[in-house]
Amino acid sequence: MDKKLFMVSLGPGDIDLVTIKALKALKSCDAVCVPTKSEDRSFKKSLTHKIVSALMNEHNFNKPLIPIYTPMQYNKEDWQYQVDCIYDGFKTYNALSFVTLGDSAIYSTIYYLLDIIKVQNPSLYENTEVIAGVTSFSQASAKVKKPLCVGESALEIIPLPKRDLPKTKVYMRPKVGMDTESIKEEGEMYTFENLNFKDESIVPQKKEVVSKYMTLFIDFFK
């Protein structure tokens, strides 16, 4: 049987903000890989463990938990260790979930791991599903009833305290028939049309003319 890996976003800490898709992945997998900052691989410093435990209690299911030490020092040896823990998990289980706080697309460890898996185990990489989640700043906006962007305003996500970092740019709300020449590609540009609908289209380049109302361009940093 092919191995299946879910990279599951848990949202900003409120289990009611975990998506239905994330919950389905946790229920369907055989075991859950849970990051912890404790060197003894206990869960005493793991926020993800608290969320997963609360989810299992709330929704009446139980899964074996695989602790994965994540010291957050941003070096490749740590990421390789975490990948090796996933590989070890697959010696016993066919489907694993690896959980991450917030949304996987925003400063998450999982893409460091996926970069390694893509090279070392292409078939597992192809059989990996990344599940998006609610961001902390999205919930923060909702709590104070203030939009992050509305009308003709824009949104910037700025990491502190560093400056002049590589940037991913999201281009939204284009008009049908609009020429995209003014959108300058700096990294890897993708065009997303009608996401999650029957005629969804994802093209790894910038389309020259906007043909769908629900079009999104993302210029991913290199």
Side-chain angles (χ1 to χ4, degrees):
M1 180 182 294
D2 290 337
K3 305 298 184 180
K4 178 72 176 182
L5 177 60
F6 297 99
M7 294 299 200
V8 180
S9 302
L10 293 176
D14 182 346
I15 64 170
D16 289 336
L17 292 177
V18 174
T19 66
I20 294 173
K21 192 167 189 177
L23 183 59
K24 285 181 177 179
L26 293 173
K27 285 185 172 182
S28 68
C29 70
D30 300 318
V32 182
C33 299
V34 180
T36 175
K37 294 180 182 179
S38 299
E39 291 188 53
D40 62 0
R41 302 196 345 147
S42 70
F43 291 125
K44 58 188 177 184
K45 296 181 181 179
S46 176
L47 292 175
T48 49
H49 176 259
K50 292 180 180 178
I51 297 170
V52 171
S53 296
L55 275 172
M56 291 193 296
N57 289 333
E58 178 76 14
H59 295 278
N60 196 31
F61 70 100
N62 190 45
K63 299 291 177 179
L65 302 182
I66 302 172
I68 298 186
Y69 176 51
T70 55
M72 300 296 290
Q73 294 177 347
Y74 300 96
N75 66 66
K76 192 168 183 178
E77 290 76 18
D78 292 334
W79 301 327
Q80 182 64 64
Y81 167 77
Q82 293 164 47
V83 168
D84 290 340
C85 288
I86 293 172
Y87 293 159
D88 286 342
F90 279 122
K91 293 176 182 177
T92 304
Y93 306 106
N94 286 316
L96 294 177
S97 288
F98 183 100
V99 293
T100 184
L101 294 173
D103 173 64
S104 56
I106 309 294
Y107 301 117
S108 171
T109 302
I110 72 158
Y111 282 101
Y112 297 117
L113 308 188
L114 284 176
D115 284 345
I116 295 173
I117 292 171
K118 186 176 183 179
V119 173
Q120 295 179 349
N121 196 331
S123 61
L124 177 60
Y125 177 83
E126 291 300 321
N127 215 26
T128 297
E129 182 176 355
V130 178
I131 299 177
V134 176
T135 65
S136 58
F137 49 85
S138 178
Q139 188 194 22
S141 166
K143 278 184 173 289
V144 296
K145 302 183 182 72
K146 290 186 178 294
L148 292 170
C149 46
V150 68
E152 298 303 316
S153 64
L155 169 67
E156 289 186 80
I157 301 172
I158 303 171
L160 299 173
K162 295 182 179 180
R163 295 290 186 271
D164 300 321
L165 297 174
K167 297 178 181 178
T168 290
K169 296 182 179 180
V170 179
Y171 298 90
M172 299 180 66
R173 304 181 70 213
K175 295 181 179 179
V176 174
M178 178 185 122
D179 189 302
T180 63
E181 184 178 357
S182 62
I183 301 176
K184 303 303 181 183
E185 183 173 353
E186 298 178 2
E188 292 184 74
M189 181 74 76
Y190 279 70
T191 303
F192 301 83
E193 296 177 323
N194 290 350
L195 277 178
N196 301 314
F197 288 89
K198 187 176 180 180
D199 56 345
E200 173 184 284
S201 172
I202 301 175
V203 181
Q205 64 189 43
K206 181 185 69 174
K207 292 190 70 173
E208 294 181 357
V209 178
V210 176
S211 59
K212 305 286 186 182
Y213 170 71
M214 292 179 63
T215 295
L216 178 72
F217 299 98
I218 301 183
D219 190 9
F220 292 98
F221 74 89
K222 283 187 176 179

